[in-house]
Amino acid sequence: MSVNAELRAFYESRQKQIPADIRAVMRRAAREQEESGQAGRALNAGAKAPSFALPSATGRTVALDGLLARGPVVLTFYRGAWCPYCNIALRSLQRHHDDITARGARLVAVSPQVPDESLSLAEKHGLGFDVLSDLGCDVARRYGLAFDLPDDLAAVYDGLGIDLLRSNAGHARTLPLPATYVIDRGGAIRWAFVTTDYTARAEPADILAALDALG
């Protein structure tokens, strides 16, 4: 099963459990974000990847330049461990991690949550790749991915017990769009997947094809 088929199946089952008024808020926010055109303005193939140095779940500082010195990089942005769609996507990437490294590439995942939250996520799913903390979405902003939740959707998340204020170290309203980039050793983005739809993610097969195309 493709990751997006898995995500769609989860979405359809989840919708049956969410009250109609909450579904209405989520759908309106999703529609407005899509209509904003932000995904089209984010960095895409052909752009230079902004450099960064971020703390990992284990306390190390991981720099993009250091990763690129050893090979291409697959960089994926996700919302946080609280997001079930992110968890499905990260587990799918873990299943393909060996295929990525076999192509000489490094996989890193970035979210706005604090390192402790990232560590819990990595341990829970047995992730073999670095999970980095981008507090305040400063790096996501340089890639054109950062956005602020609207008030009514933020209230819905609060009501569902999603404590973004805690997990994001006070930057509760700012999240990244789901995105995945394949970056060559020269720092150029060679392939990109960016969407405003948090229920959709890059297919691992497409990521592997993009790595193969690097030659």
Side-chain angles (χ1 to χ4, degrees):
M1 178 185 291
S2 72
V3 69
N4 281 294
E6 186 177 355
L7 289 165
R8 177 51 51 179
F10 178 83
Y11 171 82
E12 290 174 353
S13 66
R14 185 69 174 264
Q15 290 301 292
K16 301 172 184 176
Q17 304 167 17
I18 299 175
D21 57 334
I22 293 178
R23 290 202 309 270
V25 171
M26 290 177 165
R27 289 173 179 172
R28 182 197 52 74
R31 183 176 63 254
E32 290 179 354
Q33 191 168 49
E34 180 181 8
E35 292 172 350
S36 74
Q38 183 179 359
R41 296 191 299 272
L43 292 189
N44 212 314
K48 180 75 172 179
S51 61
F52 59 79
L54 294 171
S56 74
T58 57
R60 296 181 300 110
T61 296
V62 176
L64 179 61
D65 290 346
L67 296 173
L68 292 174
R70 292 184 279 173
V73 169
V74 177
L75 172 64
T76 190
F77 289 86
Y78 70 101
R79 304 195 304 167
W82 53 269
C83 170
Y85 301 94
C86 297
N87 291 325
I88 290 171
L90 290 173
R91 288 196 299 268
S92 177
L93 287 172
Q94 177 58 38
R95 290 195 294 270
H96 293 83
H97 187 217
D98 288 347
D99 296 324
I100 291 171
T101 58
R103 288 161 170 80
R106 296 287 298 277
L107 170 63
V108 291
V110 176
S111 85
Q113 61 189 9
V114 297
D116 281 351
E117 293 289 321
S118 296
L119 180 59
S120 297
L121 172 77
E123 291 176 340
K124 176 182 178 182
H125 297 305
L127 303 182
F129 49 87
D130 283 318
V131 182
L132 309 181
S133 293
D134 177 26
L135 298 183
C137 284
D138 291 336
V139 173
R141 188 169 287 105
R142 297 207 296 274
Y143 281 76
L145 304 172
F147 71 96
D148 288 338
L149 291 172
D151 291 342
D152 54 355
L153 185 57
V156 163
Y157 283 3
D158 287 342
L160 293 174
I162 300 171
D163 189 357
L164 295 180
L165 188 66
R166 177 187 58 79
S167 64
N168 292 0
H171 301 281
R173 298 285 297 280
T174 307
L175 296 174
L177 296 181
T180 300
Y181 295 98
V182 172
I183 305 170
D184 68 19
R185 294 192 67 171
I189 297 172
R190 298 285 295 274
W191 181 86
F193 172 91
V194 183
T195 182
T196 58
D197 182 0
Y198 63 87
T199 72
R201 302 300 160 104
E203 285 290 348
D206 294 334
I207 296 170
L208 297 176
L211 288 171
D212 289 338
L214 297 180

